């Protein structure tokens, strides 16, 4: 591991006085640069945002400067990080479950390929370990452990690191969301039009990217990080800030766990780069870029899934679909996810209002209702992508099922919106058809914190 020239400032290391922290180091957390040359971040490298500091810095223009920023960790996060960094494995068994609950969880895993899989129930049955349990099962059923000669203990340790690096206090961007996206990805990898062409490497990449695509998410979006001059925004030059951080953090955990250390160097380099390409594709700001490419391929009928490049592109599309598939779930689960993501929006809006920052699109609880947010999201983001995915799959039974749920859920939200308007005696925007470019941009900017 190469050393960086740094200047100590309290609990944070800075590369130089003129920049925000490019290397945040506390309790042993450092950015790594391996032999591949791809910068990586150690698990837990994302500094919790201390919003109390904004109160003192908003007017002075010193948000995020080295004199003001502090790395605040909860005791629990410090305890886990410090023990793991010293090589001490927690003694408490991860799956300390009642046998009845464990039996129900096993029964659910036998139906993990069903679209009505209830990830919330599964998380309760696994005592909050849905991501670890699901990934261990899927790696085994897909034959990845045998094919890549993975050590099961090391795999489990890596997955625990990933799961623990999600922030449980986030209403939406937490480990349950990651597990939900991974289960959806598993369903998409089984689509007949895709499955017969996939290699074990493709499957492993798809599952790993799904599991880690939002790791260490702070619960606020990129515009928030930019306008508060957060060090990650500076580090990644305001481009796919969160997605770059998710990717680099994932690389850091892979290297720290040594899960793939036994594989050839060239192969691990390729895996790291492809994971980056997949995770970066989830940036909602690149939605039109990928949608246009997919439409062009389908129109020209030139997708050749025997070709690794085209397979990788469809893995990117599959991950994008999995990431925003909540509106395509059954109403009971879809509604719960919608309420969770809007709660995360509103929390950000409350913080912005408290510290006299401009409230981001869709984050104003007084103006942006859950039904209106969801109708716009479905109309401008979800429907266009899933219509093209259905074209790709040849209108498979799963695609038809998802589009049916999507139409039903949109009708439910419209009904709820109409009731709200009747109570208030007002008429809201109509999201039933194609919207303006400005409306679409607004929805995209606020689509995922």
């Amino acid at each position: 591991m190469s050393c960086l020239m740094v200047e100590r400032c309290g609990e944070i290391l800075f590369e130089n006085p003129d920049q925000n922290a490019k290397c945040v180091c506390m309790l042993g957390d450092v950015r790594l640069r391996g032999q591949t040359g791809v910068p990586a971040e150690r698990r837990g490298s994302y500094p919790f945002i201390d919003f109390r500091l904004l109160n003192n810095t908003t007017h002075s223009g010193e948000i995020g400067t080295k004199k003001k920023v502090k790395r605040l960790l909860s005791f629990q996060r410090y305890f886990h990080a410090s023990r793991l960094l010293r090589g001490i494995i927690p003694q408490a068994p991860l799956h300390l479950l009642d046998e009845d609950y464990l039996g129900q969880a096993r029964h659910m895993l036998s139906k993990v390929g069903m679209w009505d899989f209830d990830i919330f129930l599964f998380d309760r049955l696994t005592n909050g370990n849905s991501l670890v349990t699901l990934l261990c099962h899927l790696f085994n059923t897909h034959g990845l452990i045998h094919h890549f000669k993975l050590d099961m203990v090391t795999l489990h340790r890596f997955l625990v690191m990933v799961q623990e690096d999600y922030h449980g206090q986030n209403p939406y961007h937490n480990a349950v969301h990651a597990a939900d996206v991974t289960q959806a990805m598993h369903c998409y990898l089984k689509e007949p039009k895709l499955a017969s062409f996939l290699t074990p490497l493709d499957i492993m990449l798809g599952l790993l990217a799904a599991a880690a695509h939002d790791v260490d998410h702070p619960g606020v979006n990129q515009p928030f990080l930019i306008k508060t001059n957060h060090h990650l925004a500076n580090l990644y030059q305001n481009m796919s800030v969160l997605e770059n951080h998710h990717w680099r953090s994932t690389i850091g955990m892979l290297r720290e766990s040594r899960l793939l250390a036994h594989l050839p160097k060239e192969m691990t380099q390729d895996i790291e780069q492809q994971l980056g390409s997949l995770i970066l594709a989830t940036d909602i700001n690149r939605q039109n870029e990928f949608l246009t490419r997919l439409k062009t391929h389908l129109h020209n009928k030139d997708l050749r899934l025997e070709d690794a490049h085209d397979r990788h592109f469809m893995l990117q599309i599959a991950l994008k679909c999995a990431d925003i598939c909540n509106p395509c779930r059954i109403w009971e689960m879809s509604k719960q996810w919608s309420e969770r993501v809007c709660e995360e929006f509103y929390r950000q809006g409350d913080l912005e209002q408290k510290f006299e920052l401009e409230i981001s699109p869709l984050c104003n609880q007084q103006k942006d209702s859950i039904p209106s947010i969801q109708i716009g999201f479905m109309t401008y983001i979800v429907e266009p992508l899933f219509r093209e995915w259905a074209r790709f799959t040849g209108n498979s039974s799963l695609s038809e099922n998802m589009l049916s749920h999507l139409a039903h859920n949109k009708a439910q939200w419209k009904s709820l919106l109409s009731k709200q308007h009747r109570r208030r005696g007002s008429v809201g925007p109509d999201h039933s058809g194609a919207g303006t470019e400005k409306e679409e941009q607004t929805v995209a900017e606020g689509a995922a914190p």
Side-chain angles (χ1 to χ4, degrees):
M1 180 176 66
S2 62
C3 294
L4 296 174
M5 294 301 295
V6 296
E7 175 184 315
R8 179 170 294 279
C9 178
E11 295 172 334
I12 300 181
L13 296 181
F14 294 83
E15 285 198 341
N16 61 63
D18 301 322
Q19 293 178 304
N20 279 342
K22 287 190 177 181
C23 173
V24 178
C25 183
M26 180 178 181
L27 303 174
D29 290 346
V30 294
R31 294 186 68 229
L32 303 174
R33 182 178 297 273
Q35 294 179 342
T36 62
V38 178
E41 295 181 16
R42 283 285 291 271
R43 58 187 302 267
S45 62
Y46 190 93
F48 286 144
I49 299 170
D50 182 6
F51 295 108
R52 291 172 296 178
L53 298 174
L54 296 178
N55 203 29
N56 300 323
T57 59
T58 300
H59 300 293
S60 65
E62 295 180 353
I63 297 176
T65 63
K66 71 173 185 175
K67 293 182 179 179
K68 298 293 182 181
V69 178
K70 270 191 175 183
R71 172 85 187 270
L72 295 181
L73 295 180
S74 68
F75 175 78
Q76 182 180 12
R77 192 172 177 81
Y78 160 70
F79 178 75
H80 282 295
S82 61
R83 284 172 66 85
L84 285 165
L85 288 169
R86 295 198 308 269
I88 302 173
I89 304 301
Q91 296 302 309
L94 183 66
H95 304 296
L96 193 59
L97 300 175
D98 182 274
E99 187 62 30
D100 289 339
Y101 280 83
L102 196 57
Q104 293 178 61
R106 289 197 192 103
H107 178 69
M108 286 194 70
L109 283 174
S110 69
K111 300 182 178 181
V112 71
M114 305 295 290
W115 189 245
D116 61 355
F117 189 86
D118 188 340
I119 198 64
F120 296 113
L121 174 59
F122 185 69
D123 192 62
R124 291 194 294 273
L125 293 175
T126 57
N127 197 29
N129 292 294
S130 54
L131 186 60
V132 173
T133 308
L134 179 65
L135 260 295
C136 285
H137 175 77
L138 293 179
F139 265 62
N140 185 46
T141 56
H142 283 288
L144 302 177
I145 297 173
H146 174 74
H147 182 85
F148 292 101
K149 296 180 173 57
L150 301 177
D151 178 77
M152 194 63 203
V153 174
T154 305
L155 173 63
H156 188 272
R157 182 166 60 244
F158 166 74
L159 295 177
V160 169
M161 291 165 67
V162 173
Q163 181 174 272
E164 287 187 346
D165 237 27
Y166 278 93
H167 299 187
Q169 71 271 24
N170 289 345
Y172 184 83
H173 288 100
N174 51 44
V176 184
H177 165 65
D180 184 63
V181 172
T182 302
Q183 189 271 336
M185 189 66 168
H186 168 65
C187 293
Y188 299 156
L189 294 176
K190 291 171 54 183
E191 284 282 17
K193 284 292 182 75
L194 185 61
S196 59
F197 296 98
L198 295 176
T199 67
L201 179 58
D202 294 327
I203 296 171
M204 184 171 74
L205 285 168
L207 295 177
L208 285 177
H213 80 284
D214 272 332
V215 73
D216 211 16
H217 197 294
V220 292
N221 61 14
Q222 175 173 291
F224 183 92
L225 298 180
I226 293 174
K227 66 186 174 185
T228 56
N229 198 28
H230 193 271
H231 85 278
L232 286 178
N234 292 327
L235 176 61
Y236 297 118
Q237 300 180 331
N238 300 342
M239 297 292 292
S240 299
V241 175
L242 288 169
E243 292 75 21
N244 268 299
H245 177 62
H246 304 324
W247 168 36
R248 303 297 172 83
S249 297
T250 303
I251 292 176
M253 287 183 283
L254 278 172
R255 294 178 184 173
E256 182 177 342
S257 68
R258 297 186 60 79
L259 176 64
L260 307 177
H262 62 290
L263 298 178
K265 175 183 173 182
E266 294 76 14
M267 189 175 189
T268 57
Q269 288 179 356
D270 181 56
I271 288 172
E272 290 182 353
Q273 292 292 345
Q274 289 202 61
L275 278 175
S277 178
L278 289 170
I279 293 173
L280 289 173
T282 63
D283 185 350
I284 200 70
N285 293 308
R286 300 180 65 191
Q287 184 78 0
N288 285 334
E289 170 195 338
F290 281 94
L291 186 59
T292 299
R293 284 178 59 191
L294 179 59
K295 286 181 177 179
T296 301
H297 279 305
L298 295 176
H299 176 76
N300 295 335
K301 299 180 179 180
D302 59 359
L303 275 173
R304 300 291 180 265
L305 296 181
E306 302 88 348
D307 181 73
H309 181 269
D310 283 1
R311 282 201 312 277
H312 182 79
F313 173 70
M314 289 314 303
L315 284 177
Q316 291 176 310
I317 296 296
L319 181 57
K320 289 179 68 64
C321 287
D323 191 26
I324 62 171
C325 73
N326 300 150
C328 301
R329 298 285 192 178
I330 62 173
W331 169 248
E332 291 75 17
M333 285 194 289
S334 179
K335 183 173 181 288
Q336 188 171 166
W337 282 121
S338 298
E339 291 168 346
R340 285 168 173 258
V341 74
C342 288
E343 173 61 23
E344 204 163 292
F345 290 156
Y346 297 152
R347 287 187 184 184
Q348 175 176 323
D350 290 344
L351 286 168
E352 291 167 329
Q353 184 177 39
K354 180 179 179 180
F355 296 109
E356 300 180 6
L357 301 170
E358 181 183 356
I359 298 180
S360 298
L362 311 185
C363 294
N364 191 329
Q365 191 168 5
Q366 305 306 316
K367 297 180 179 179
D368 305 309
S369 69
I370 297 177
S372 64
I373 291 173
Q374 291 306 306
I375 293 168
F377 180 56
M378 292 176 178
T379 301
Y380 303 126
I381 304 297
V382 182
E383 285 179 346
L385 181 60
F386 277 85
R387 280 198 299 265
E388 299 308 315
W389 176 259
R391 284 179 62 197
F392 165 72
T393 64
N395 294 309
S396 67
S397 58
L398 174 58
S399 290
E400 290 184 350
N401 192 21
M402 290 192 298
L403 290 175
S404 176
H405 288 317
L406 178 59
H408 172 74
N409 295 338
K410 187 175 180 180
Q412 290 283 87
W413 286 120
K414 284 188 174 183
S415 176
L416 291 173
L417 185 62
S418 296
K419 291 178 182 177
Q420 287 184 355
H421 290 159
R422 284 197 296 270
R423 286 197 298 268
R424 299 172 183 172
S426 61
V427 178
D430 179 16
H431 295 293
S432 59
T436 65
E437 183 177 345
K438 183 177 181 180
E439 287 174 326
E440 185 172 352
Q441 182 180 358
T442 299
V443 173
E445 286 177 352

